[in-house]
Amino acid sequence: MRKPIEIRQAHFPGRAPIDSYGNGGFRFAEMSHRGSLLMLPSGIYGWDMVEGDPLTADYFQRVFEEAAAIEVILVGTGKDIRPLPAALKAKFKEHAISSDPMSTGAAIRTYNIMLAESRAVAAALIAV
């Protein structure tokens, strides 16, 4: 008897640039992922966030857990730029993380450059 398909939380245990994005997902490291992503020093994680969801600290808990290895987080807010709420910016600042909101496309381009420069960068990318 066959085992049923096991669905696990998406995780890529490494760092990789984003090769392409759109249609609700991303391509990186010769793989594809539907949905949003957290790009952290410990790896790439599926992120339960869609365009229009409120940007609250709860969604960034994994980022705060890795704060010692992150200097900058790029927040790709979807098709258009959305400002980060003051409480979220303060929480990033409390963890010594500089935050920069921008459209998801701009965040990907900036992330890829900073990653190539071996910078302590993370990205939270809302799928478009």
Side-chain angles (χ1 to χ4, degrees):
M1 186 165 171
R2 287 184 155 194
K3 291 173 72 174
I5 294 174
E6 180 183 342
I7 298 178
R8 298 177 292 175
Q9 185 178 11
H11 175 241
F12 174 77
R15 299 192 68 153
I18 297 290
D19 298 319
S20 64
Y21 70 98
N23 293 325
F26 303 88
R27 290 195 55 77
F28 59 91
E30 298 181 16
M31 297 184 287
S32 64
H33 173 81
R34 292 271 299 152
S36 300
L37 292 174
L38 281 178
M39 314 285 287
L40 302 175
S42 65
I44 301 171
Y45 299 86
W47 188 36
D48 189 23
M49 175 69 88
V50 296
E51 196 165 8
D53 280 351
L55 297 168
T56 63
D58 293 340
Y59 285 106
F60 294 87
Q61 191 57 42
R62 194 180 296 263
V63 174
F64 301 130
E65 291 169 5
E66 296 191 34
I70 301 169
E71 291 178 8
V72 176
I73 184 160
L74 307 169
V75 182
T77 59
K79 291 177 187 161
D80 298 311
I81 188 171
R82 269 175 44 195
L84 299 180
L88 179 57
K89 285 192 74 73
K91 185 83 168 173
F92 284 131
K93 193 171 193 169
E94 177 184 313
H95 285 86
I97 299 173
S98 175
S99 58
D100 198 357
M102 55 189 76
S103 70
T104 295
I108 289 168
R109 291 185 294 276
T110 306
Y111 175 81
N112 285 348
I113 290 167
M114 292 179 79
L115 184 65
E117 294 173 343
S118 298
R119 303 271 304 273
V121 64
L125 304 171
I126 296 175
V128 294

